mmCIF file of all heavy atoms in Angstrom:
data_model
loop_
_atom_site.group_PDB
_atom_site.id
_atom_site.type_symbol
_atom_site.label_atom_id
_atom_site.label_comp_id
_atom_site.label_asym_id
_atom_site.label_seq_id
_atom_site.Cartn_x
_atom_site.Cartn_y
_atom_site.Cartn_z
ATOM 1 N N ILE A 1 -132.291 185.435 140.129
ATOM 2 C CA ILE A 1 -132.725 185.450 138.734
ATOM 3 C C ILE A 1 -134.020 186.242 138.624
ATOM 4 O O ILE A 1 -134.959 186.028 139.404
ATOM 5 C CB ILE A 1 -132.956 184.019 138.198
ATOM 6 C CG1 ILE A 1 -131.649 183.214 138.262
ATOM 7 C CG2 ILE A 1 -133.518 184.049 136.775
ATOM 8 C CD1 ILE A 1 -131.817 181.734 137.966
ATOM 9 N N GLY A 2 -134.056 187.143 137.660
ATOM 10 C CA GLY A 2 -135.281 187.855 137.333
ATOM 11 C C GLY A 2 -135.915 187.204 136.120
ATOM 12 O O GLY A 2 -135.247 186.983 135.117
ATOM 13 N N LEU A 3 -137.182 186.892 136.210
ATOM 14 C CA LEU A 3 -137.859 186.232 135.088
ATOM 15 C C LEU A 3 -138.235 187.213 133.990
ATOM 16 O O LEU A 3 -138.534 186.801 132.870
ATOM 17 C CB LEU A 3 -139.089 185.474 135.587
ATOM 18 C CG LEU A 3 -138.755 184.317 136.533
ATOM 19 C CD1 LEU A 3 -140.039 183.714 137.091
ATOM 20 C CD2 LEU A 3 -137.895 183.271 135.836
ATOM 21 N N THR A 4 -138.206 188.492 134.286
ATOM 22 C CA THR A 4 -138.440 189.527 133.293
ATOM 23 C C THR A 4 -137.120 190.241 133.062
ATOM 24 O O THR A 4 -136.501 190.739 134.003
ATOM 25 C CB THR A 4 -139.497 190.538 133.785
ATOM 26 O OG1 THR A 4 -140.700 189.824 134.066
ATOM 27 C CG2 THR A 4 -139.762 191.606 132.740
ATOM 28 N N HIS A 5 -136.683 190.290 131.830
ATOM 29 C CA HIS A 5 -135.410 190.933 131.492
ATOM 30 C C HIS A 5 -135.496 192.433 131.748
ATOM 31 O O HIS A 5 -136.520 193.057 131.442
ATOM 32 C CB HIS A 5 -135.075 190.655 130.018
ATOM 33 C CG HIS A 5 -133.688 191.017 129.642
ATOM 34 N ND1 HIS A 5 -133.303 192.314 129.415
ATOM 35 C CD2 HIS A 5 -132.588 190.250 129.484
ATOM 36 C CE1 HIS A 5 -132.027 192.336 129.109
ATOM 37 N NE2 HIS A 5 -131.555 191.097 129.152
ATOM 38 N N PRO A 6 -134.451 193.050 132.304
ATOM 39 C CA PRO A 6 -134.513 194.489 132.588
ATOM 40 C C PRO A 6 -134.700 195.370 131.353
ATOM 41 O O PRO A 6 -135.167 196.497 131.465
ATOM 42 C CB PRO A 6 -133.171 194.787 133.275
ATOM 43 C CG PRO A 6 -132.302 193.627 132.996
ATOM 44 C CD PRO A 6 -133.188 192.458 132.718
ATOM 45 N N LYS A 7 -134.381 194.852 130.175
ATOM 46 C CA LYS A 7 -134.601 195.618 128.937
ATOM 47 C C LYS A 7 -135.837 195.135 128.189
ATOM 48 O O LYS A 7 -136.063 195.512 127.047
ATOM 49 C CB LYS A 7 -133.378 195.523 128.035
ATOM 50 C CG LYS A 7 -132.162 196.208 128.633
ATOM 51 C CD LYS A 7 -130.974 196.125 127.705
ATOM 52 C CE LYS A 7 -129.770 196.790 128.348
ATOM 53 N NZ LYS A 7 -128.552 196.599 127.570
ATOM 54 N N GLY A 8 -136.619 194.271 128.822
ATOM 55 C CA GLY A 8 -137.868 193.827 128.235
ATOM 56 C C GLY A 8 -137.751 192.770 127.153
ATOM 57 O O GLY A 8 -138.694 192.579 126.390
ATOM 58 N N LEU A 9 -136.632 192.068 127.065
ATOM 59 C CA LEU A 9 -136.477 191.031 126.039
ATOM 60 C C LEU A 9 -137.428 189.874 126.322
ATOM 61 O O LEU A 9 -137.351 189.233 127.374
ATOM 62 C CB LEU A 9 -135.037 190.511 126.002
ATOM 63 C CG LEU A 9 -133.949 191.531 125.677
ATOM 64 C CD1 LEU A 9 -132.568 190.884 125.753
ATOM 65 C CD2 LEU A 9 -134.178 192.125 124.297
ATOM 66 N N ALA A 10 -138.332 189.621 125.405
ATOM 67 C CA ALA A 10 -139.343 188.581 125.587
ATOM 68 C C ALA A 10 -138.697 187.205 125.757
ATOM 69 O O ALA A 10 -137.795 186.836 125.006
ATOM 70 C CB ALA A 10 -140.294 188.565 124.396
ATOM 71 N N GLY A 11 -139.159 186.468 126.741
ATOM 72 C CA GLY A 11 -138.709 185.104 126.958
ATOM 73 C C GLY A 11 -137.313 184.977 127.543
ATOM 74 O O GLY A 11 -136.811 183.875 127.700
ATOM 75 N N CYS A 12 -136.684 186.087 127.862
ATOM 76 C CA CYS A 12 -135.309 186.063 128.355
ATOM 77 C C CYS A 12 -135.272 186.473 129.819
ATOM 78 O O CYS A 12 -135.622 187.596 130.169
ATOM 79 C CB CYS A 12 -134.429 186.997 127.520
ATOM 80 S SG CYS A 12 -132.668 186.868 127.916
ATOM 81 N N ALA A 13 -134.855 185.544 130.675
ATOM 82 C CA ALA A 13 -134.659 185.840 132.090
ATOM 83 C C ALA A 13 -133.288 186.496 132.265
ATOM 84 O O ALA A 13 -132.493 186.551 131.320
ATOM 85 C CB ALA A 13 -134.752 184.552 132.904
ATOM 86 N N TYR A 14 -133.023 186.990 133.461
ATOM 87 C CA TYR A 14 -131.765 187.700 133.705
ATOM 88 C C TYR A 14 -131.146 187.228 135.012
ATOM 89 O O TYR A 14 -131.806 187.229 136.058
ATOM 90 C CB TYR A 14 -132.030 189.204 133.763
ATOM 91 C CG TYR A 14 -130.775 190.022 133.647
ATOM 92 C CD1 TYR A 14 -130.219 190.297 132.410
ATOM 93 C CD2 TYR A 14 -130.141 190.501 134.775
ATOM 94 C CE1 TYR A 14 -129.051 191.045 132.294
ATOM 95 C CE2 TYR A 14 -128.978 191.258 134.671
ATOM 96 C CZ TYR A 14 -128.440 191.517 133.425
ATOM 97 O OH TYR A 14 -127.295 192.254 133.332
ATOM 98 N N LEU A 15 -129.904 186.812 134.935
ATOM 99 C CA LEU A 15 -129.157 186.374 136.110
ATOM 100 C C LEU A 15 -128.483 187.592 136.732
ATOM 101 O O LEU A 15 -127.498 188.103 136.213
ATOM 102 C CB LEU A 15 -128.108 185.327 135.717
ATOM 103 C CG LEU A 15 -127.235 184.785 136.839
ATOM 104 C CD1 LEU A 15 -128.069 184.049 137.877
ATOM 105 C CD2 LEU A 15 -126.166 183.871 136.271
ATOM 106 N N TYR A 16 -129.045 188.082 137.819
ATOM 107 C CA TYR A 16 -128.503 189.265 138.486
ATOM 108 C C TYR A 16 -127.301 188.930 139.350
ATOM 109 O O TYR A 16 -126.379 189.732 139.483
ATOM 110 C CB TYR A 16 -129.571 189.926 139.363
ATOM 111 C CG TYR A 16 -130.600 190.691 138.580
ATOM 112 C CD1 TYR A 16 -131.841 190.132 138.280
ATOM 113 C CD2 TYR A 16 -130.345 191.983 138.132
ATOM 114 C CE1 TYR A 16 -132.792 190.839 137.568
ATOM 115 C CE2 TYR A 16 -131.283 192.699 137.415
ATOM 116 C CZ TYR A 16 -132.507 192.119 137.143
ATOM 117 O OH TYR A 16 -133.443 192.822 136.427
ATOM 118 N N ASP A 17 -127.322 187.753 139.970
ATOM 119 C CA ASP A 17 -126.232 187.417 140.879
ATOM 120 C C ASP A 17 -126.104 185.908 141.003
ATOM 121 O O ASP A 17 -127.102 185.195 141.107
ATOM 122 C CB ASP A 17 -126.504 188.034 142.263
ATOM 123 C CG ASP A 17 -125.348 187.852 143.241
ATOM 124 O OD1 ASP A 17 -124.182 188.055 142.830
ATOM 125 O OD2 ASP A 17 -125.606 187.523 144.413
ATOM 126 N N ILE A 18 -124.875 185.468 140.975
ATOM 127 C CA ILE A 18 -124.534 184.086 141.299
ATOM 128 C C ILE A 18 -123.216 184.155 142.048
ATOM 129 O O ILE A 18 -122.319 184.897 141.659
ATOM 130 C CB ILE A 18 -124.425 183.186 140.045
ATOM 131 C CG1 ILE A 18 -124.053 181.742 140.437
ATOM 132 C CG2 ILE A 18 -123.440 183.764 139.047
ATOM 133 C CD1 ILE A 18 -124.084 180.751 139.273
ATOM 134 N N GLU A 19 -123.157 183.431 143.134
ATOM 135 C CA GLU A 19 -121.897 183.407 143.881
ATOM 136 C C GLU A 19 -121.735 182.065 144.567
ATOM 137 O O GLU A 19 -122.670 181.555 145.189
ATOM 138 C CB GLU A 19 -121.839 184.528 144.912
ATOM 139 C CG GLU A 19 -120.481 184.587 145.583
ATOM 140 C CD GLU A 19 -120.290 185.790 146.473
ATOM 141 O OE1 GLU A 19 -121.235 186.562 146.678
ATOM 142 O OE2 GLU A 19 -119.171 185.956 146.972
ATOM 143 N N VAL A 20 -120.544 181.529 144.437
ATOM 144 C CA VAL A 20 -120.153 180.339 145.171
ATOM 145 C C VAL A 20 -119.391 180.818 146.401
ATOM 146 O O VAL A 20 -118.571 181.746 146.308
ATOM 147 C CB VAL A 20 -119.278 179.411 144.293
ATOM 148 C CG1 VAL A 20 -118.722 178.248 145.107
ATOM 149 C CG2 VAL A 20 -120.081 178.903 143.098
ATOM 150 N N LEU A 21 -119.660 180.213 147.532
ATOM 151 C CA LEU A 21 -118.949 180.587 148.758
ATOM 152 C C LEU A 21 -117.446 180.472 148.536
ATOM 153 O O LEU A 21 -116.983 179.528 147.890
ATOM 154 C CB LEU A 21 -119.373 179.670 149.909
ATOM 155 C CG LEU A 21 -120.851 179.734 150.297
ATOM 156 C CD1 LEU A 21 -121.186 178.653 151.321
ATOM 157 C CD2 LEU A 21 -121.191 181.102 150.847
ATOM 158 N N PRO A 22 -116.673 181.418 149.043
ATOM 159 C CA PRO A 22 -115.219 181.408 148.795
ATOM 160 C C PRO A 22 -114.536 180.077 149.111
ATOM 161 O O PRO A 22 -113.681 179.619 148.347
ATOM 162 C CB PRO A 22 -114.696 182.529 149.710
ATOM 163 C CG PRO A 22 -115.849 183.459 149.858
ATOM 164 C CD PRO A 22 -117.083 182.582 149.844
ATOM 165 N N GLU A 23 -114.931 179.441 150.199
ATOM 166 C CA GLU A 23 -114.298 178.173 150.580
ATOM 167 C C GLU A 23 -114.704 177.003 149.695
ATOM 168 O O GLU A 23 -114.117 175.925 149.769
ATOM 169 C CB GLU A 23 -114.585 177.855 152.054
ATOM 170 C CG GLU A 23 -116.044 177.601 152.374
ATOM 171 C CD GLU A 23 -116.861 178.847 152.704
ATOM 172 O OE1 GLU A 23 -116.422 179.981 152.405
ATOM 173 O OE2 GLU A 23 -117.966 178.676 153.262
ATOM 174 N N ARG A 24 -115.685 177.208 148.817
ATOM 175 C CA ARG A 24 -116.165 176.151 147.919
ATOM 176 C C ARG A 24 -115.719 176.348 146.471
ATOM 177 O O ARG A 24 -116.037 175.534 145.602
ATOM 178 C CB ARG A 24 -117.695 176.092 147.944
ATOM 179 C CG ARG A 24 -118.280 175.730 149.281
ATOM 180 C CD ARG A 24 -118.140 174.268 149.502
ATOM 181 N NE ARG A 24 -118.837 173.858 150.704
ATOM 182 C CZ ARG A 24 -118.853 172.632 151.129
ATOM 183 N NH1 ARG A 24 -118.224 171.700 150.459
ATOM 184 N NH2 ARG A 24 -119.488 172.318 152.230
ATOM 185 N N ARG A 25 -115.014 177.423 146.189
ATOM 186 C CA ARG A 25 -114.608 177.722 144.812
ATOM 187 C C ARG A 25 -113.542 176.758 144.331
ATOM 188 O O ARG A 25 -112.795 176.184 145.113
ATOM 189 C CB ARG A 25 -114.119 179.166 144.721
ATOM 190 C CG ARG A 25 -115.259 180.135 144.959
ATOM 191 C CD ARG A 25 -114.840 181.569 144.906
ATOM 192 N NE ARG A 25 -115.998 182.394 145.279
ATOM 193 C CZ ARG A 25 -115.921 183.619 145.710
ATOM 194 N NH1 ARG A 25 -114.753 184.237 145.814
ATOM 195 N NH2 ARG A 25 -117.016 184.275 146.042
#
């Protein structure tokens, strides 16, 4: 997670990546 949005949106964090391990899906 980036706490600064890549487009500069104030107060908006950005989720760059989330992944659940394949065996846990």
Side-chain angles (χ1 to χ4, degrees):
I1 299 171
L3 296 174
T4 302
H5 192 282
K7 294 181 181 173
L9 299 177
C12 188
Y14 195 82
L15 179 63
Y16 285 99
D17 186 44
I18 180 173
E19 186 172 5
V20 173
L21 298 173
E23 65 273 16
R24 297 283 187 181
R25 293 179 185 159

